Amino acid sequence: MMQNKYPQKPGIDFILKQAFFYWNKTLVFQLMFSIVFFGILLTGVMLFGEKYDIFSYNKELQEAFMQGTQVYLKKMEQITATENYQMFTLAIWATTAFLYPLNLGMFQIFRKMDLKENIVIGDLFAGYNGLNFFKYVGYFLFWFFIYKFTIPTVVLAIIWVAVTIFVAPLMFFTNKRIFEAISLNFKALKMYFVEIMVCVIVAFLFKYLGFALFLIGGLFTFPFWNAMIYSLYKTVFSEKS
């Protein structure tokens, strides 16, 4: 149910401080998350890039770039239309979907922190236990399919992120189904619109700031998104005991 214990809603500063607290206390797991994520993703890029001969396009793109932006864009359009490129893209999407349950592992770690329980490496892979894997990969594919079509508008993409920000934790902690979780998420968004939108923007900026400022730092900041979602989730929802 929605949080109603407080006479007034906790402010954005409280949610942000709480998110940074969770992130800061689990830096070793943040690093492990990034190493596993990028290790598997880059391996996928190399393997599938070789399989579908993607790297052979680099020379063509370089030559087109030297001839001007228009030529480059036209060449890019031709390459993205090829079957090889489309198969490569699908393979990378599938790899990303396979990695999505890692995020649930971070939620498990934050929850164990709250319960003062011992955290183990296996917690990072909680999203892969039993049917969890199929549940969260299925959800990610559904989410990503819609997200892909909203990206060109930017605004719709941000709205879709905000409308689904609590779906994964609701599925994980309260066993809600996707559409039930989206419905609860929508109600939460109406009540906490400003808080959620500000936190989404802060989390997005901080997530990639590490790469922009000092490459290796990105391995620590990349998973920050999960700490922000958990902090928001804890603030907005209180589960029935």
Side-chain angles (χ1 to χ4, degrees), residues 11 34 53-54 63 74 81 89 91 103 119 124 138 143 166 169 171 191 220 222:
S34 291
D53 202 25
I54 292 301
E63 287 169 2
K74 185 129 182 73
T89 305
N103 296 290
I119 299 166
L124 190 58
W143 181 89
F166 298 124
M171 286 170 69
M191 275 179 65
F220 291 99
F222 181 73

Side-chain angles (χ1 to χ4, degrees), residues 192-212:
Y192 289 83
F193 182 79
V194 174
E195 290 88 345
I196 289 171
M197 294 312 288
V198 168
C199 289
V200 163
I201 292 163
V202 170
F204 180 82
L205 291 174
F206 187 74
K207 179 176 180 172
Y208 295 107
L209 193 64
F211 289 113

Side-chain angles (χ1 to χ4, degrees), residues 4-73:
N4 57 8
K5 295 175 187 169
Y6 304 104
Q8 65 182 87
K9 296 187 292 186
I12 291 168
D13 59 336
F14 170 80
I15 298 166
L16 292 174
K17 277 179 194 167
Q18 189 173 239
F20 278 103
F21 169 79
Y22 285 118
W23 173 75
N24 187 42
K25 288 287 183 185
T26 55
L27 283 177
V28 171
F29 291 99
Q30 308 290 333
L31 182 59
M32 284 169 62
F33 177 104
S34 291
I35 289 169
V36 171
F37 185 92
F38 288 111
I40 293 173
L41 184 64
L42 292 174
T43 301
V45 168
M46 296 305 290
L47 287 175
F48 294 120
E50 208 168 296
K51 180 177 169 65
Y52 296 112
D53 202 25
I54 292 301
F55 305 120
S56 66
Y57 296 131
N58 286 347
K59 192 165 183 290
E60 292 177 48
L61 283 170
Q62 282 171 357
E63 287 169 2
F65 185 72
M66 299 300 283
Q67 294 172 55
T69 311
Q70 289 302 315
V71 180
Y72 177 79
L73 291 174

Side-chain angles (χ1 to χ4, degrees), residues 6-231:
Y6 304 104
Q8 65 182 87
K9 296 187 292 186
I12 291 168
D13 59 336
F14 170 80
I15 298 166
L16 292 174
K17 277 179 194 167
Q18 189 173 239
F20 278 103
F21 169 79
Y22 285 118
W23 173 75
N24 187 42
K25 288 287 183 185
T26 55
L27 283 177
V28 171
F29 291 99
Q30 308 290 333
L31 182 59
M32 284 169 62
F33 177 104
S34 291
I35 289 169
V36 171
F37 185 92
F38 288 111
I40 293 173
L41 184 64
L42 292 174
T43 301
V45 168
M46 296 305 290
L47 287 175
F48 294 120
E50 208 168 296
K51 180 177 169 65
Y52 296 112
D53 202 25
I54 292 301
F55 305 120
S56 66
Y57 296 131
N58 286 347
K59 192 165 183 290
E60 292 177 48
L61 283 170
Q62 282 171 357
E63 287 169 2
F65 185 72
M66 299 300 283
Q67 294 172 55
T69 311
Q70 289 302 315
V71 180
Y72 177 79
L73 291 174
K74 185 129 182 73
K75 176 56 74 177
M76 195 69 205
E77 200 178 314
Q78 288 169 0
I79 289 170
T80 52
T82 61
E83 189 184 343
N84 267 13
Y85 187 86
Q86 287 173 2
M87 290 303 292
F88 170 74
T89 305
L90 280 173
I92 296 308
W93 287 350
T95 306
T96 309
F98 171 79
L99 290 165
Y100 179 74
L102 270 179
N103 296 290
L104 284 305
M106 292 309 303
F107 295 151
Q108 167 120 326
I109 288 165
F110 300 142
R111 171 55 58 89
K112 277 194 156 187
M113 271 180 65
D114 286 343
L115 298 173
K116 295 184 167 48
E117 291 178 9
N118 190 37
I119 299 166
V120 295
I121 292 172
D123 290 326
L124 190 58
F125 304 100
Y128 293 91
N129 291 342
L131 292 173
N132 275 358
F133 174 72
F134 301 101
K135 189 161 80 169
Y136 299 120
V137 165
Y139 164 63
F140 176 80
L141 290 171
F142 159 75
W143 181 89
F144 186 75
F145 182 76
I146 295 173
Y147 180 69
K148 182 178 175 288
F149 286 104
T150 61
I151 285 174
T153 65
V154 179
V155 173
L156 283 177
I158 293 169
I159 291 169
W160 178 237
V161 167
V163 166
T164 55
I165 195 167
F166 298 124
V167 173
L170 280 167
M171 286 170 69
F172 189 63
F173 293 126
T174 65
N175 214 23
K176 300 287 187 221
R177 295 182 182 278
I178 291 174
F179 292 105
E180 192 183 355
I182 289 175
S183 170
L184 285 168
N185 197 140
F186 190 70
K187 287 176 189 168
L189 186 61
K190 284 196 288 185
M191 275 179 65
Y192 289 83
F193 182 79
V194 174
E195 290 88 345
I196 289 171
M197 294 312 288
V198 168
C199 289
V200 163
I201 292 163
V202 170
F204 180 82
L205 291 174
F206 187 74
K207 179 176 180 172
Y208 295 107
L209 193 64
F211 289 113
L213 295 180
F214 31 81
L215 285 173
I216 198 75
L219 295 176
F220 291 99
T221 60
F222 181 73
F224 174 72
W225 179 253
N226 293 308
M228 184 66 86
I229 292 173
Y230 185 76
S231 177

